[in-house]
């Protein structure tokens, strides 16, 4: 199968859902380039430790989360916003024009048509 597009998303994706012509992705922010971090670790660069702690805290939910909507036809971001807490693993669903997100802080969030 031929690839139509690709897109970097600065999110550690924990949940995805398809809503019409958009794929919704959500998770903690991806703050670290892993290849670059590995290179710096092998060079024993002590400065990388702070960046590793920052990414670990983000993965623990201490930096909130990002939610993006990406158009499935073009790959362009068509919306997005910040969440207070990341979704649980596979914790999103779309139904009747609404997006439901179950977050690690124990909340269920609803976005969409009133």
């Amino acid at each position: 199968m031929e690839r139509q597009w690709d897109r970097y998303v600065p999110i550690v994706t924990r949940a995805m859902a398809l809503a019409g012509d958009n794929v919704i992705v959500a998770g903690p922010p991806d703050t670290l380039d892993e290849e670059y971090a590995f290179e710096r670790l092998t060079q024993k660069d002590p400065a990388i430790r702070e960046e590793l702690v920052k990414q670990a805290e983000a993965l623990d939910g201490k930096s909130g989360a990002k939610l993006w909507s990406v158009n499935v036809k073009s790959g362009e971001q068509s919306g997005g916003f910040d969440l207070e807490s990341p979704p649980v693993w596979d914790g999103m669903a779309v139904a009747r024009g609404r997006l439901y997100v179950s977050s690690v802080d124990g909340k269920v969030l609803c976005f969409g048509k009133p």
Side-chain angles (χ1 to χ4, degrees):
M1 180 181 288
E2 184 178 329
R3 180 183 351 191
Q4 295 180 2
W5 54 265
D6 62 23
R7 163 110 197 180
Y8 171 72
V9 179
I11 297 170
V12 179
T13 304
R14 285 203 184 150
M16 295 176 68
L18 184 63
D21 287 338
N22 294 291
V23 62
I24 313 297
V25 295
D30 186 4
T31 64
L32 188 67
D33 178 334
E34 287 82 5
E35 289 180 26
Y36 181 64
F38 180 74
E39 179 181 309
R40 290 176 63 191
L41 279 170
T42 60
Q43 295 172 1
K44 300 188 183 337
D45 180 357
I48 191 61
R49 301 278 181 214
E50 184 177 320
E51 293 178 44
L52 290 168
V53 167
K54 183 179 174 185
Q55 181 67 71
E57 288 174 347
L59 293 172
D60 286 341
K62 296 177 182 172
S63 301
K66 304 243 180 241
L67 185 141
W68 276 25
S69 175
V70 177
N71 184 282
V72 298
K73 295 177 182 173
S74 68
E76 294 299 315
Q77 180 181 352
S78 55
F81 52 90
D82 294 332
L83 299 172
E84 290 181 20
S85 179
V88 297
W89 181 256
D90 205 18
M92 285 195 314
V94 175
R96 297 183 183 221
R98 292 186 175 103
L99 172 68
Y100 298 91
V101 180
S102 178
S103 60
V104 297
D105 64 357
K107 296 178 183 174
V108 175
L109 309 170
C110 177
F111 304 95
K113 299 175 185 176

